[in-house]
Amino acid sequence: MALAATPVSAQQKLSLEVTVPAATLPSSLFSPNGGAADFLGVGLGQTVDDIRKILTGQNFTNEDSSGRFLLDEEYFTVEIIATGPNRYFTYVIWTGPEDAEATQSVRVEFSSPLTGQRSTDLRRLVTYNDGKGPLLATLRAAIVQKFGPPSVDGNSSMRWFWSKGQQVKKSAARDKQMAIGMDVRSDYVTAITYELVDDAAAAADRDQVTQFQKSVEGAAKKIRDGNAAAPKL
């Protein structure tokens, strides 16, 4: 005797309305040892609006973003109807300004609404046109003047590690980190990559998202179990 399976499309649609809680934390720029760690005024702990205002004021344009949902739209037969700030930016890229000397872009990753949608990872890439870049020695001196000596110095590659706002030498002890890498030709810099990452905040946000998704999955399972058909033997 063959058993006929009920198509998913014909199954009863069960709904679960979910409100995604949003943290409303004040924006703050990460300032280790009293000095701002930022690139063009963009740093850790800022919102999309904060950074948009800073960069558009410096003629950055062509904003490109990627957003996603905290939740899948459907868990088996339970449709998740999300309310609140469910869709959010995972990252935004700003490009420009372009001039005769260089082209550049800034890419920023943001945490979820659960932890305030604040910047946790930013990258700035500058590419100089032939012969337009600064001398390596001049750039290094400016970097050290702003950020202090690096935790690890590879001449054209410099890295800083921080733990609770204080600089540390070892990468394993960090909760935040910064790296500046330079492409060099004949003592002149042809390109620079700046990176600033809040490892602790990114990890805490992933934990919050995972916990929230588990709570929704648990609620969806209760609905499915409560509406499960009795077996016909």
Side-chain angles (χ1 to χ4, degrees), residues 140 144 149-159:
R140 279 180 51 86
V144 172
S151 301
V152 178
D153 193 342
N155 195 37
S156 62
S157 176
M158 310 167 76
R159 299 183 70 86

PDB file of all heavy atoms in Angstrom, residues 140 144 149-159:
ATOM      1  N   ARG A 140      55.040  56.811   6.573  1.00  0.00           N
ATOM      2  CA  ARG A 140      55.236  56.109   7.843  1.00  0.00           C
ATOM      3  C   ARG A 140      55.325  57.092   9.011  1.00  0.00           C
ATOM      4  O   ARG A 140      54.746  56.864  10.070  1.00  0.00           O
ATOM      5  CB  ARG A 140      56.516  55.263   7.781  1.00  0.00           C
ATOM      6  CG  ARG A 140      56.340  53.920   7.082  1.00  0.00           C
ATOM      7  CD  ARG A 140      57.672  53.156   7.082  1.00  0.00           C
ATOM      8  NE  ARG A 140      58.242  53.093   8.421  1.00  0.00           N
ATOM      9  CZ  ARG A 140      57.944  52.164   9.321  1.00  0.00           C
ATOM     10  NH1 ARG A 140      57.076  51.200   9.022  1.00  0.00           N
ATOM     11  NH2 ARG A 140      58.512  52.174  10.518  1.00  0.00           N
ATOM     12  N   VAL A 144      52.733  57.053  12.233  1.00  0.00           N
ATOM     13  CA  VAL A 144      53.188  56.905  13.620  1.00  0.00           C
ATOM     14  C   VAL A 144      52.809  58.126  14.453  1.00  0.00           C
ATOM     15  O   VAL A 144      52.452  58.016  15.628  1.00  0.00           O
ATOM     16  CB  VAL A 144      54.705  56.665  13.660  1.00  0.00           C
ATOM     17  CG1 VAL A 144      55.222  56.707  15.095  1.00  0.00           C
ATOM     18  CG2 VAL A 144      55.036  55.319  13.026  1.00  0.00           C
ATOM     19  N   PRO A 149      53.513  54.136  17.585  1.00  0.00           N
ATOM     20  CA  PRO A 149      54.249  52.997  17.021  1.00  0.00           C
ATOM     21  C   PRO A 149      53.379  51.745  16.979  1.00  0.00           C
ATOM     22  O   PRO A 149      52.586  51.498  17.888  1.00  0.00           O
ATOM     23  CB  PRO A 149      55.425  52.821  17.997  1.00  0.00           C
ATOM     24  CG  PRO A 149      55.554  54.145  18.685  1.00  0.00           C
ATOM     25  CD  PRO A 149      54.166  54.695  18.782  1.00  0.00           C
ATOM     26  N   PRO A 150      53.520  50.954  15.929  1.00  0.00           N
ATOM     27  CA  PRO A 150      52.687  49.739  15.810  1.00  0.00           C
ATOM     28  C   PRO A 150      53.122  48.638  16.765  1.00  0.00           C
ATOM     29  O   PRO A 150      54.240  48.634  17.271  1.00  0.00           O
ATOM     30  CB  PRO A 150      52.906  49.321  14.350  1.00  0.00           C
ATOM     31  CG  PRO A 150      54.261  49.851  14.012  1.00  0.00           C
ATOM     32  CD  PRO A 150      54.401  51.141  14.762  1.00  0.00           C
ATOM     33  N   SER A 151      52.222  47.697  16.984  1.00  0.00           N
ATOM     34  CA  SER A 151      52.565  46.509  17.773  1.00  0.00           C
ATOM     35  C   SER A 151      53.529  45.620  17.006  1.00  0.00           C
ATOM     36  O   SER A 151      54.426  45.006  17.586  1.00  0.00           O
ATOM     37  CB  SER A 151      51.299  45.723  18.122  1.00  0.00           C
ATOM     38  OG  SER A 151      50.393  46.514  18.859  1.00  0.00           O
ATOM     39  N   VAL A 152      53.331  45.546  15.695  1.00  0.00           N
ATOM     40  CA  VAL A 152      54.204  44.777  14.814  1.00  0.00           C
ATOM     41  C   VAL A 152      54.545  45.647  13.615  1.00  0.00           C
ATOM     42  O   VAL A 152      53.641  46.174  12.957  1.00  0.00           O
ATOM     43  CB  VAL A 152      53.535  43.467  14.342  1.00  0.00           C
ATOM     44  CG1 VAL A 152      54.459  42.707  13.388  1.00  0.00           C
ATOM     45  CG2 VAL A 152      53.147  42.597  15.522  1.00  0.00           C
ATOM     46  N   ASP A 153      55.839  45.814  13.330  1.00  0.00           N
ATOM     47  CA  ASP A 153      56.270  46.712  12.259  1.00  0.00           C
ATOM     48  C   ASP A 153      57.031  45.940  11.192  1.00  0.00           C
ATOM     49  O   ASP A 153      58.108  45.392  11.455  1.00  0.00           O
ATOM     50  CB  ASP A 153      57.165  47.819  12.836  1.00  0.00           C
ATOM     51  CG  ASP A 153      57.391  48.959  11.850  1.00  0.00           C
ATOM     52  OD1 ASP A 153      57.154  48.749  10.641  1.00  0.00           O
ATOM     53  OD2 ASP A 153      57.803  50.045  12.288  1.00  0.00           O
ATOM     54  N   GLY A 154      56.454  45.880   9.989  1.00  0.00           N
ATOM     55  CA  GLY A 154      57.121  45.225   8.869  1.00  0.00           C
ATOM     56  C   GLY A 154      57.546  46.216   7.808  1.00  0.00           C
ATOM     57  O   GLY A 154      57.612  45.860   6.627  1.00  0.00           O
ATOM     58  N   ASN A 155      57.792  47.464   8.203  1.00  0.00           N
ATOM     59  CA  ASN A 155      58.209  48.557   7.324  1.00  0.00           C
ATOM     60  C   ASN A 155      57.072  49.012   6.409  1.00  0.00           C
ATOM     61  O   ASN A 155      56.509  50.081   6.597  1.00  0.00           O
ATOM     62  CB  ASN A 155      59.444  48.183   6.510  1.00  0.00           C
ATOM     63  CG  ASN A 155      60.100  49.399   5.875  1.00  0.00           C
ATOM     64  OD1 ASN A 155      60.134  50.470   6.487  1.00  0.00           O
ATOM     65  ND2 ASN A 155      60.624  49.250   4.667  1.00  0.00           N
ATOM     66  N   SER A 156      56.682  48.196   5.443  1.00  0.00           N
ATOM     67  CA  SER A 156      55.561  48.557   4.576  1.00  0.00           C
ATOM     68  C   SER A 156      54.259  47.905   5.037  1.00  0.00           C
ATOM     69  O   SER A 156      53.225  48.027   4.378  1.00  0.00           O
ATOM     70  CB  SER A 156      55.849  48.166   3.124  1.00  0.00           C
ATOM     71  OG  SER A 156      56.020  46.765   3.015  1.00  0.00           O
ATOM     72  N   SER A 157      54.306  47.217   6.172  1.00  0.00           N
ATOM     73  CA  SER A 157      53.125  46.597   6.767  1.00  0.00           C
ATOM     74  C   SER A 157      53.172  46.830   8.268  1.00  0.00           C
ATOM     75  O   SER A 157      54.117  46.417   8.938  1.00  0.00           O
ATOM     76  CB  SER A 157      53.102  45.097   6.471  1.00  0.00           C
ATOM     77  OG  SER A 157      52.012  44.470   7.112  1.00  0.00           O
ATOM     78  N   MET A 158      52.171  47.502   8.806  1.00  0.00           N
ATOM     79  CA  MET A 158      52.145  47.881  10.214  1.00  0.00           C
ATOM     80  C   MET A 158      50.837  47.402  10.838  1.00  0.00           C
ATOM     81  O   MET A 158      49.766  47.529  10.232  1.00  0.00           O
ATOM     82  CB  MET A 158      52.281  49.403  10.346  1.00  0.00           C
ATOM     83  CG  MET A 158      53.438  49.971   9.541  1.00  0.00           C
ATOM     84  SD  MET A 158      53.406  51.783   9.374  1.00  0.00           S
ATOM     85  CE  MET A 158      53.972  52.278  11.000  1.00  0.00           C
ATOM     86  N   ARG A 159      50.918  46.833  12.068  1.00  0.00           N
ATOM     87  CA  ARG A 159      49.729  46.308  12.736  1.00  0.00           C
ATOM     88  C   ARG A 159      49.690  46.780  14.188  1.00  0.00           C
ATOM     89  O   ARG A 159      50.718  46.813  14.869  1.00  0.00           O
ATOM     90  CB  ARG A 159      49.701  44.773  12.689  1.00  0.00           C
ATOM     91  CG  ARG A 159      49.670  44.203  11.277  1.00  0.00           C
ATOM     92  CD  ARG A 159      49.577  42.699  11.310  1.00  0.00           C
ATOM     93  NE  ARG A 159      48.281  42.257  11.777  1.00  0.00           N
ATOM     94  CZ  ARG A 159      47.215  42.095  10.992  1.00  0.00           C
ATOM     95  NH1 ARG A 159      47.298  42.339   9.698  1.00  0.00           N
ATOM     96  NH2 ARG A 159      46.070  41.675  11.492  1.00  0.00           N
TER      97      ARG A 159
END
